[in-house]
Every structure is written in C-alpha cells, then in structure tokens.
Amino acid sequence: MNPDNRRRVIAELATVERRARDLTDQNLRFRAWVKHECEMSDEELDALAAATADEVWRDIDCTRCAMCCALPSIAVDREDVALLAKRLGLRPADFERKYVSVYEGEPGITGPCPFLESGRCKVYADRPKACGSFPYLHTPGFRWRMLGLVSDSYFCPVVFNTLELMKRRLRWGKRRRCGSSGRP
C-alpha cells in the first residue's frame, strides 16, 4: 500500500462511525457525482473499487470487528438454509422456523447473528453467501450500490476507508468529470 494511503486508514469503530456520519452529505454528493458525472465505465469503476478495497483490507482485520454480524438481518437463500441446517443437524424447515424471518421483504437470519460466538463465526465454513460477499466491494455494480455503501460506511471500516480512498483516486472535488481508461 502507498504509505500516504496507509496513514489514512481508520479502523477504530467509534471513529469510523463518527467520521462517516460527519461525511454523510459529502458521501451523498460523491455518490451523485459517480452515478451521473463520472464517465468511467462500470467495469473500470468496479475494478478500481475492488482493487481499492483489497488495498484497504491489508490494514483491516474484519475478524476483529464483526459489526456486519450485528445487522438486523443477514440475507439467506434456500442453498444457505440447506447448508446451515445440515451443519447444525436440523431439517431445513426447522432451521427456518428457528433462525429465519422476513426483513424488508427478504428472508434472513435475524441479527445479531446467533452464530457469532466470542466475536467469531462458529459456522464460518458454511456461512451464508451474503456474509462471504459483504461488504460487496467485489460485486459488480459499485456505481449503483453506493447508497447502501454510504450507509455501510457508518459501521464498516473497509467501506468507510474504501470510499475515502476512492474519492482521492477519482480526484473527486478536484475535477468535475472522471474519464474512462481507468484514469479520472
């Protein structure tokens, strides 16, 4: 990681939350700029976001945080339910009755996650796909998921730091347009 960027990575949860809340308006303006003014292709932007997140992850250990495990609901699908039920020695229907509810129209394990024990996931090898993908910085569609990322930046140091570094890399605020070919 560039020493200039390493110095700026913030991992302390209370500081991340405070700074993210202080930057909400700025982050919403950045979101609008990326959606409507940044001419970088979706593929190039997704690649930049993934590379930036990878760089941030070098300085942040998600297993020391587990804030995403405290979300109101962790999305699951039938495959996740079947895998977790098998791991726990339950029938899928019994697993659903015990652990799954509908939150905002989607099935999910009610948070905080019942499988988090002493800050560690006790079903890590069989965790839901949503857990393995969170915070979705390697998922295509960065530009179109930014509202969720702004919200996630309140509790996720990886998202917070990735957004801050993306602002610098895209030279947001210094130029009003970002171009294609991977360079703002």
Side-chain angles (χ1 to χ4, degrees), residues 33-77:
W33 179 81
V34 168
K35 282 184 76 171
H36 303 294
E37 296 181 49
C38 180
E39 294 173 352
M40 185 178 284
S41 74
D42 286 346
E43 293 78 17
E44 290 172 312
L45 188 62
D46 290 345
L48 180 62
T52 302
D54 287 344
E55 197 170 314
V56 168
W57 254 308
R58 289 183 203 138
D59 291 325
I60 294 178
D61 178 5
C62 289
T63 64
R64 292 178 177 254
C65 175
M67 289 299 293
C68 54
C69 302
L71 293 173
S73 182
I74 295 108
V76 291
D77 61 17

Side-chain angles (χ1 to χ4, degrees), residues 80-153:
D80 293 326
V81 168
L83 191 60
L84 287 165
K86 181 178 178 182
R87 177 173 183 127
L88 298 173
L90 298 170
R91 292 180 310 137
D94 294 334
F95 179 88
E96 284 186 11
R97 267 193 295 286
K98 185 170 183 175
Y99 296 109
V100 178
S101 61
V102 175
Y103 181 79
E104 295 182 355
E106 299 293 325
I109 296 172
T110 303
C113 183
F115 306 116
L116 187 65
E117 196 171 88
S118 301
R120 298 275 188 220
C121 179
K122 65 182 183 181
V123 296
Y124 189 82
D126 298 316
R127 70 194 183 278
K129 287 181 279 305
C131 297
S133 298
F134 190 84
Y136 314 112
L137 293 166
H138 287 87
T139 303
F142 176 85
R143 171 178 279 128
W144 311 110
R145 289 180 293 96
M146 286 192 65
L147 189 58
L149 293 172
V150 170
S151 294
D152 292 346
S153 73

